[in-house]
Amino acid sequence: QVQLVESGGGLVQAGGSLRLSCAASGTVFINVFGWYRQAPGKQRELVATITRDGITDYAASLKDRFTISRDNAKNTVYLQMNNLKPEDTAVYFCNADRLLEVGSGIPRWRYDCWGQGIQVTVSS
């Protein structure tokens, strides 16, 4: 199965910035890339999405501080997070809503693929 691997998380001071990356393995074509997050004791929530053509959507509370982007040639999506706040602390997950795996053999569609998640901790 195609793997989505997040990187770039860690500990940052409030007001700082962090950039998350999520790379898909193999030769693939991904429709919509998304970032989601889940804080302890809370439901997983949408952070941002981006279509293959670059159309973006954000959670209303985050649109002024977070920026999603993608590099289709590298099968990678990014999340630039600025002016981080303690309430941004969560596990962040990368998602591909549908993905065409080409690599070798017969092309196959995969649906609702998730990364393992990466911790972002913002200290005050």
Side-chain angles (χ1 to χ4, degrees), residues 86-105:
E87 50 263 46
D88 295 319
T89 296
V91 176
Y92 285 71
F93 296 89
C94 174
N95 172 267
D97 72 333
R98 54 190 173 108
L99 177 155
L100 183 63
E101 187 176 14
V102 177
S104 61

Side-chain angles (χ1 to χ4, degrees), residues 74-95:
K74 297 184 181 298
N75 298 319
T76 301
V77 64
Y78 306 94
L79 183 68
Q80 179 68 45
M81 303 183 292
N82 298 323
N83 191 25
L84 284 162
K85 304 175 180 180
E87 50 263 46
D88 295 319
T89 296
V91 176
Y92 285 71
F93 296 89
C94 174
N95 172 267

Side-chain angles (χ1 to χ4, degrees), residues 19-75:
R19 189 174 81 154
L20 303 182
S21 299
C22 173
S25 62
T27 303
V28 298
F29 297 90
I30 297 171
N31 185 38
V32 178
F33 255 136
W35 286 99
Y36 297 75
R37 69 184 186 183
Q38 187 168 21
K42 297 183 178 180
Q43 299 278 21
R44 186 172 300 184
E45 64 176 348
L46 170 71
V47 174
T49 61
I50 182 169
T51 71
R52 187 168 182 84
D53 292 331
I55 300 172
T56 59
D57 190 27
Y58 297 88
S61 62
L62 303 176
K63 62 181 179 181
D64 293 331
R65 298 188 294 116
F66 288 13
T67 302
I68 189 171
S69 61
R70 65 189 289 171
D71 185 337
N72 292 332
K74 297 184 181 298
N75 298 319

